[in-house]
Amino acid sequence: MNAMTGLESFDTLVGKTTEIQGRMTVHDSVRIDGRVFGNLEPADKYPCTIAIGPDGEIHGNIICNRAYVAGIVHGTIYAKDSVTLSASAVVKGDIHSESFHIETGAQIDGSMLQANRQLRSSVDDKSAVHNKNSRS
C-alpha cells in the first residue's frame, strides 16, 4: 500500500527521466514522476485517477475523478471526487473538487472551490467539448 495513493493501483507510469510535450488522455490511471507540458484529461467518459509523484511536474490543467499530488502542478485541477495533496505538493492554480485531503506543508497558490453536482456536469462538458474538437 502506498501512503500517497492508498489502495489505488496505476496502469501507466511516466518515469522521472521522461518529459512529455502535449495533451495526454488517460483511460484509467496514470502516475507521473517525470514532467508533462500539456493537459491531462480523461479519454471520452472514462473515469480516471491521476497521481503526481514527489518528482513529478505538470504544466497544464488536470481533469479527472481523483487526483493525488505530491509534486508540482502549474495549472487548474478539476477532480470530480477528490483531491489529495501530500506535504510536498505545490499547486500554482485553482482546485475544483467535492472533497479535499490536505497534509500540513502542502502549498496552494490559487483558490480551492468545493464542488457540487454542477461541477460534475461542467467537467463532463469540458471533456466532451475538448474530445469533440480534437476529433475534428
Side-chain angles (χ1 to χ4, degrees):
M1 181 166 125
N2 184 322
M4 183 179 90
T5 60
L7 299 175
E8 198 81 40
S9 64
F10 296 92
D11 56 40
T12 303
L13 174 66
V14 176
K16 286 182 185 183
T17 60
T18 303
E19 183 175 295
I20 296 174
Q21 301 275 341
R23 182 173 69 99
M24 187 173 177
T25 57
V26 180
H27 283 274
D28 187 25
S29 62
V30 64
R31 178 182 165 120
I32 308 289
D33 287 317
R35 294 171 49 166
V36 175
F37 294 88
N39 295 338
L40 294 160
E41 304 170 352
D44 295 320
K45 297 269 184 183
Y46 290 97
C48 68
T49 299
I50 296 174
I52 313 304
D55 296 314
E57 188 172 340
I58 306 300
H59 293 266
N61 297 329
I62 297 172
I63 301 171
C64 60
N65 284 53
R66 287 174 306 283
Y68 301 96
V69 181
I72 301 170
V73 176
H74 296 274
T76 301
I77 300 172
Y78 300 94
K80 288 182 187 180
D81 297 331
S82 66
V83 173
T84 300
L85 302 178
S86 73
S88 60
V90 176
V91 178
K92 296 184 182 236
D94 296 340
I95 304 172
H96 304 255
S97 188
E98 285 189 15
S99 176
F100 299 93
H101 308 277
I102 304 168
E103 291 183 7
T104 301
Q107 299 175 40
I108 304 164
D109 183 8
S111 298
M112 293 177 56
L113 304 165
Q114 187 170 22
N116 54 25
R117 293 177 190 206
Q118 199 169 22
L119 173 65
R120 288 185 179 272
S121 62
S122 172
V123 170
D124 288 341
D125 291 345
K126 286 179 192 278
S127 294
V129 167
H130 188 73
N131 287 335
K132 181 181 176 187
N133 290 340
S134 65
R135 290 185 189 133
S136 300

